Amino acid sequence: TFISILDACANLPSLVEGKEAHACIVDRGFEMNLVVANALVNMYGKWGSIRDACQIFNRMPERDVVSWNAL
């Protein structure tokens, strides 16, 4: 699943694989799915890429406790 891929990428030192996974998610229209968006925010946050995490967070149509904790 996308969630598993993003979680694995979040623990890698390279941004390349995560960015590729993010591009696939966007192509398939899942970026704004709450669970997927939370995983993206978490992934970018773990990498220290706060700008990317905030951009996704700000575009989320809905947020939950997980969203706020991931940010």
Side-chain angles (χ1 to χ4, degrees):
T1 67
F2 286 129
I3 308 309
S4 299
I5 293 168
L6 293 174
D7 187 47
C9 290
N11 295 310
L12 295 174
S14 172
L15 301 174
V16 175
E17 291 85 359
K19 294 254 185 198
E20 288 175 0
H22 187 179
C24 287
I25 288 167
V26 171
D27 287 344
R28 287 164 178 77
F30 289 107
E31 185 179 32
M32 291 301 107
N33 172 283
L34 179 62
V35 178
V36 173
N38 284 340
L40 285 167
V41 171
N42 180 61
M43 179 183 74
Y44 284 116
K46 281 186 176 181
W47 286 339
S49 186
I50 303 304
R51 179 181 296 176
D52 290 325
C54 286
Q55 286 177 346
I56 293 165
F57 182 85
N58 289 332
R59 289 194 315 254
M60 292 172 70
E62 61 179 306
R63 299 174 188 102
D64 62 5
V65 174
V66 175
S67 310
W68 288 97
N69 284 333
L71 188 59

